Amino acid sequence: MSNFDVVIHLRRCESGVPATEAGLALAARLGAHVLGLHVVALATAAFVSPEAVAVQVNESSHLLDEARQRAPWWQSQLQRHGLQGEFQVVQGDTVEALCHASRWSELIVAERPCSNPDAPVGWGIVSRTVFGASAPVVVVPEGARVDQIGEHMLVAWNGSREATLAIRGALPLLKRASRITVLEGDPSPSPLGIDTLPDFNLRTWFERRGISAEFRPFKPGKDHGHALLEVANGMGANMIVLGAWGQSRITELVLGGVTRHLFQHSNLPLLVAH
């Protein structure tokens, strides 16, 4: 019996989608139970008039029936990876559905559309899911390579709450990785200029859990997002673990930030937590 639950957001119920393939591969690595979740969205604009409601209900019913007919396809995907799971099609708000499912799950896997994103970075479906989810989210860019996902994991570490949550969420995968590289950035300074919090050492924390990792200093000076992605690709990493939105969304939208840059430009899956 599985101790893990993985939810894969099936934005597209079709084969060959990188996010779906990544989710299935990670679930197989964890021996997880898998929920394939497809959400038929209800547009709020549909309720502006009785005529619009009738059109929306008719269209939505058609999409629901069409999606539910994909259940045999999903079972074939599970069988291909030797997995147990289920297929659900619900109607409503995608973010609400994913965040609800995250309450009993260890991992959410979602596709980040690049060619036609649903909203600016920080306000789209994936970003809002990261903010509201009770579990870490694996953000898979559209078109990403996922054939070796989880083999070499790159951890961005700066001692922040968000980075710590991401590492804790990634722990089952870190224990199964063939290689782990930790990029150590500068921790946030104490606002009082004195040591007000207990000391935490990630190296010894990993050692107590039987995890072997290579630690490297990471002090690029500026353009941290670009530098992080360049290092990750240069060393052949296939997943980046990092805390998301350490600054507010408004700050990152106006001034830029690591999360915003990686959500926009990463060709690698990101395991993130906020």
Side-chain angles (χ1 to χ4, degrees):
M1 185 172 294
S2 173
N3 293 321
F4 299 98
D5 281 89
V6 172
V7 177
I8 302 175
H9 176 215
L10 300 175
R11 193 172 71 91
R12 298 175 284 163
C13 294
E14 57 189 58
S15 300
V17 176
T20 303
E21 293 299 321
L24 291 168
L26 292 174
R29 184 176 287 267
L30 295 169
H33 179 274
V34 190
L35 167 61
L37 180 62
H38 179 75
V39 183
V40 176
L42 268 178
T44 54
F47 301 98
V48 296
S49 69
E51 294 80 9
V53 171
V55 171
Q56 176 67 18
V57 168
N58 181 64
E59 176 66 17
S60 181
S61 297
H62 172 71
L63 292 174
L64 281 168
D65 291 339
E66 192 175 65
R68 285 168 178 158
Q69 292 173 15
R70 297 295 287 162
W73 162 78
W74 179 244
Q75 286 302 318
S76 71
Q77 301 304 303
L78 294 177
Q79 291 171 8
R80 181 164 59 91
H81 288 269
L83 292 166
Q84 297 293 318
E86 55 188 304
F87 179 68
Q88 290 190 33
V89 179
V90 299
Q91 186 177 30
D93 180 72
T94 302
V95 174
E96 183 180 7
L98 289 172
C99 290
H100 179 71
S102 75
R103 295 169 188 168
W104 63 80
S105 306
E106 277 68 44
L107 208 61
I108 304 293
V109 182
E111 180 180 49
R112 165 67 185 166
C114 299
S115 57
N116 186 28
D118 61 295
V121 174
W123 303 102
I125 288 173
V126 173
S127 302
R128 288 186 289 125
T129 299
V130 171
F131 265 88
S134 302
V137 179
V138 175
V139 180
V140 183
E142 191 176 29
R145 284 192 57 184
V146 298
D147 53 321
Q148 292 184 312
I149 187 169
E151 285 290 334
H152 180 189
M153 300 178 70
L154 181 74
V155 178
W157 174 241
N158 63 356
S160 68
R161 170 189 176 275
E162 292 79 13
T164 305
L165 288 175
I167 291 170
R168 286 183 61 185
L171 194 58
L173 291 170
L174 290 168
K175 289 182 176 180
R176 292 164 172 80
S178 300
R179 182 183 174 190
I180 300 167
T181 304
V182 179
L183 297 185
E184 290 188 287
D186 291 325
S188 300
S190 169
L192 300 177
I194 57 175
D195 294 332
T196 59
L197 297 175
D199 184 51
F200 173 71
N201 189 311
L202 184 61
R203 294 172 186 256
T204 57
W205 192 83
F206 273 171
E207 289 171 3
R208 290 198 302 271
R209 285 155 180 79
I211 296 174
S212 176
E214 175 191 359
F215 284 75
R216 296 187 181 186
F218 180 68
K219 299 179 181 180
K222 60 178 182 178
D223 296 330
H224 284 63
H226 174 79
L228 179 61
L229 191 57
E230 191 173 61
V231 171
N233 280 292
M235 64 175 52
N238 43 59
M239 177 182 278
I240 300 174
V241 178
L242 76 155
W245 311 108
Q247 305 179 83
S248 71
R249 275 180 287 186
I250 292 294
T251 300
E252 291 225 2
L253 283 169
V254 175
L255 301 177
V258 175
T259 310
R260 180 170 178 259
H261 182 90
L262 291 178
F263 271 40
Q264 284 182 319
H265 301 291
S266 180
N267 60 325
L268 303 172
L270 313 169
L271 191 153
V272 298
H274 173 74

